Amino acid sequence: MAKRIDITNVSSYYGKFEAVSDVSLRIEPNAVTAFIGPSGCGKSTLLRTLNRMHEVVPGTSVTGEILLDGENIYDDTVDPVNVRRTIGMVFQRPNPFPTMSIYENVAAGIRLDARRMPKSELDGLVERSLQAANLWNEVKDRLKKPGASLSGGQQQRLCIARAIAVEPAVLLMDEPCSSLDPISTLAIEDLIDELKNNYTIVIVTHNMQQAARVSDTTAFFNLAGIGQPGRLIESAPTALIFSTPGQKATEDYISGRFG
Amino acid sequence: MTKLGAGVPDSIQGSVVRRGDLVFRRLAKGAGLAVLVVLAAIAGFLVWRSVPGLRANTANFLTSTAWFPDQSPSRFGIAAIAFGTVVTAALALLIAVPIGFGVALFIAFYAPPKLATALGFIVDLLAAVPSIIFGLWGLQVLMPHLGGLQRWLNDHLGFIPIFHNSLGIYTKSLFVAAVVLGVMVLPTVSAISREIFLKVPHSNVEAALALGATRWETMRMAVLPFSRPGMISAAMLGLGRALGETIAVALILSALNVVNWHVTEPGGNTFAANIALGWNEAGPIGLSALIASGLVLFVLTLVVNVVARSIIWRRAEFHEGL
């Protein structure tokens, strides 16, 4: 079940340094929201704040409120482990577990669940996840091979399969295509388009064409200068952002006059 | 036309032997061969020098517990010292490996950065302490203090044969030697496994966390499988040190050549301690006998290493390029 995310006055810090400041934004379910902006504008930090991965780095902190279908994920009673099981993540560089086979990689998240799943049921889930990630046909004959034996694009789709195997409500993608070739990128973009039927998707990208192609809503982030916190400049339907941006800074950025 | 720098060669034809390459290749090859030569020389020396003793021996070299090579007739066997060596080394590993891995995991993943640095430094320091110091400490400090523990083991776990002690004497036992060895080996195991744990790619740790793994599940999913070959290596290096450790054991054990499963009772001996203690008083046959026992220790460590390697290589496919 896709869930809505409401971000209210969120700031994320590394020690005393404010990486992203005072963001308020609504992320709709069953839609793709793209975060764009120059390097260092805090878009990846904000993404990691959404599933409480930001706090994994020592010395970091977050202020503000993030509601997942009305539930504050930063509430004291909330277990970050459960947040991360609900909000999946795909990273910039493909990171399959090198010691696991393709099959084991997909099953990794499911095996975390306390309940033991019968082999046949697990087989089915692995197959469905790989199919959903458009990887099944390429790997079905070598599920026992190491995940690291796949090409970069296949590895990234394997990571997507691993993330969706646990059936999260939200899928966060941190520049998922930045280390991939154009054909693999296209495969992933097609996949994102299919996945939004079932998930809320947030994607950070440096590639504006990609944001224009895959997203329904685009949020533009910017920073006033080096050492300044990143801020949300504006967020609007993607078609609008790329045709008639509301802010001068957005227009400069997407037309390539900046950053 | 003026050339900048060397420019392009006049022709790409012809093969040139570049001296740097040649020198480097030969040096590398020589270094590799030197290791083999040294190994073969040691093995050759051990075999060659052990023949006279083995010829003179009237007892079974493998099953006898006696060690009287210079008597007439000469009688000696390695049963007791092999038993002592294997038992002390195994017990030492049993103590050192879980604690060593625990310390390493704590330093690599749990401790706050400053504490981790300090702790890592201390562990490295401990690994560099000479074994004679460990031996003296074991003799003077540890042995008196282990009496209580061994008595407790006898009183409460005495039904397990190895903890049974019918003498009521708890000094100079294999158990004390094993604890000292365990403490000696601990920093080695810990220092190496810490380096291994620190090599785990951060991206894999993050992948596990992002899947909703707890700290421990992250260890099990991303850290331990990745580190397994290195952890085995760390344990094996520890085992190697425990098997070969001489002076600390020689100080503690009472050098009684017996096979006694009651490890808290006095007595017992090891290859290395037996050689160190017996060398100065040994006659020609005695020396040869000691060298023969050294040959067995040499083979034992070789076997341990081969087994460790084969475990590491068993899933080599999953560790290519790591």
Side-chain angles (χ1 to χ4, degrees):
Chain A
M1 266 300 291
K3 291 187 176 182
R4 191 178 63 236
I5 300 175
D6 287 295
I7 304 168
T8 315
N9 304 120
V10 164
S11 304
S12 299
Y13 300 82
Y14 293 96
K16 289 203 167 62
F17 173 69
E18 190 175 26
V20 54
S21 177
D22 197 25
V23 173
S24 295
L25 177 68
R26 164 169 289 190
I27 293 167
E28 294 294 345
N30 296 114
V32 178
T33 303
F35 290 179
I36 62 168
S39 296
C41 70
K43 55 196 189 305
S44 284
T45 304
L46 182 66
L47 192 79
R48 291 169 63 90
T49 306
L50 297 182
N51 66 340
R52 299 192 62 167
M53 280 298 284
H54 178 60
E55 68 201 53
V56 169
V57 180
T60 54
S61 57
V62 176
T63 61
E65 195 180 62
I66 296 176
L67 302 181
L68 183 65
D69 267 4
E71 231 185 322
N72 186 3
I73 65 166
Y74 279 94
D75 201 276
D76 287 341
T77 58
V78 169
D79 182 0
V81 165
N82 286 332
V83 172
R84 293 180 206 128
R85 287 188 190 184
T86 316
I87 305 179
M89 191 165 201
V90 176
F91 293 83
Q92 189 172 349
R93 301 184 70 99
N95 56 358
F97 297 117
T99 55
M100 293 186 193
S101 68
I102 293 168
Y103 182 99
E104 287 169 329
N105 260 288
V106 180
I110 306 160
R111 291 209 165 120
L112 288 176
D113 269 334
R115 69 197 165 98
R116 303 285 299 173
M117 191 179 272
K119 178 88 168 73
S120 58
E121 202 179 322
L122 190 61
D123 286 350
L125 218 153
V126 167
E127 179 175 344
R128 282 202 303 284
S129 305
L130 284 168
Q131 255 159 1
N134 284 333
L135 190 59
W136 175 250
N137 287 330
E138 290 156 66
V139 301
K140 64 182 175 205
D141 300 321
R142 46 176 175 149
L143 292 172
K144 296 277 178 277
K145 291 278 169 199
S149 68
L150 299 172
S151 75
Q154 289 172 325
Q155 284 188 25
Q156 193 63 303
R157 277 179 284 153
L158 178 62
C159 292
I160 293 174
R162 179 177 67 188
I164 60 184
V166 292
E167 289 166 356
V170 180
L171 197 57
L172 307 178
M173 307 177 109
D174 190 359
E175 299 183 45
C177 305
S178 65
S179 62
L180 305 182
D181 66 89
I183 292 169
S184 303
T185 299
L186 202 65
I188 302 240
E189 287 179 5
D190 287 346
L191 178 57
I192 292 170
D193 208 45
E194 288 168 28
L195 290 175
K196 79 175 179 188
N197 295 323
N198 297 313
Y199 305 97
T200 307
I201 292 176
V202 186
I203 177 171
V204 167
T205 178
H206 269 296
N207 179 335
M208 276 170 290
Q209 286 76 25
Q210 182 170 64
R213 282 193 299 263
V214 302
S215 72
D216 303 292
T217 306
T218 297
F220 172 64
F221 294 79
N222 203 352
L223 71 173
I226 302 294
Q228 300 287 314
R231 289 173 193 283
L232 174 65
I233 303 301
E234 65 174 314
S235 158
T238 299
L240 218 56
I241 283 267
F242 283 93
S243 58
T244 50
Q247 300 286 327
K248 179 78 165 59
T250 317
E251 192 183 346
D252 286 351
Y253 184 73
I254 59 174
S255 59
R257 261 173 292 183
F258 170 90
Chain B
M1 196 174 80
T2 50
K3 271 190 179 175
L4 288 172
V8 294
D10 295 333
S11 166
I12 57 173
Q13 296 292 321
S15 67
V16 188
V17 179
R18 289 179 173 79
R19 208 167 53 173
D21 277 351
L22 194 73
V23 169
F24 181 74
R25 191 168 66 225
R26 291 200 174 146
L27 273 177
K29 210 183 207 172
L33 280 174
V35 175
L36 285 178
V37 168
V38 168
L39 197 71
I42 291 173
F45 156 80
L46 289 172
V47 171
W48 177 250
R49 294 288 304 274
S50 60
V51 168
L54 291 174
R55 281 240 174 96
N57 191 10
T58 58
N60 187 319
F61 178 64
L62 293 177
T63 58
S64 170
T65 59
W67 195 268
F68 306 112
D70 285 323
Q71 285 183 358
S72 179
S74 175
R75 289 188 303 118
F76 61 92
I78 56 161
I81 54 179
F83 174 81
T85 303
V86 171
V87 166
T88 50
L91 276 177
L93 269 202
L94 229 53
I95 296 166
V97 162
I99 301 176
F101 289 166
V103 170
L105 280 177
F106 178 73
I107 290 174
F109 294 105
Y110 288 88
K114 271 185 188 162
L115 180 64
T117 311
L119 214 56
F121 181 71
I122 292 170
V123 169
D124 287 348
L125 214 63
L126 211 57
V129 171
S131 54
I132 180 77
I133 305 294
F134 276 106
L136 288 173
W137 171 75
L139 191 66
Q140 295 293 316
V141 181
L142 203 60
M143 194 155 78
H145 285 91
L146 277 176
L149 172 66
Q150 293 179 88
R151 183 163 298 135
W152 185 89
L153 286 172
N154 175 51
D155 292 349
H156 295 90
L157 297 170
F159 57 88
I160 304 171
I162 65 163
F163 293 132
H164 183 74
N165 186 322
S166 54
L167 302 174
I169 304 167
Y170 296 95
T171 51
K172 298 204 162 259
S173 64
L174 285 177
F175 185 83
V176 175
V179 172
V180 173
L181 281 180
V183 175
M184 278 182 64
V185 166
L186 173 65
T188 309
V189 173
S190 185
I192 295 167
S193 54
R194 182 193 66 213
E195 294 300 317
I196 302 293
F197 292 144
L198 289 175
K199 282 218 176 76
V200 174
H202 193 61
S203 67
N204 285 321
V205 174
E206 290 215 315
L209 287 171
L211 272 179
T214 61
R215 268 284 187 65
W216 168 236
E217 284 166 342
T218 304
M219 299 295 133
R220 259 186 13 205
M221 185 182 267
V223 175
L224 296 181
F226 186 89
S227 310
R228 210 178 58 143
M231 290 165 73
I232 294 170
S233 297
M236 287 305 137
L237 275 169
L239 182 59
R241 193 172 177 195
L243 284 173
E245 175 46 39
T246 310
I247 197 71
V249 178
L251 278 175
I252 289 163
L253 287 178
S254 61
L256 211 59
N257 276 22
V258 290
V259 173
N260 185 354
W261 281 102
H262 304 151
V263 294
T264 61
E265 291 177 0
N269 208 348
T270 70
F271 282 112
N274 188 47
I275 293 171
L277 292 172
W279 191 260
N280 282 330
E281 295 137 36
I285 297 299
L287 286 181
S288 180
L290 291 174
I291 289 171
S293 74
L295 177 63
V296 178
L297 181 60
F298 181 75
V299 172
L300 184 66
T301 48
L302 223 58
V303 168
V304 164
N305 273 296
V306 168
V307 169
R309 281 283 145 204
S310 67
I311 295 172
I312 293 167
W313 282 337
R314 204 170 50 196
R315 270 162 64 96
E317 187 184 20
F318 284 81
H319 287 280
E320 266 163 27
L322 297 182

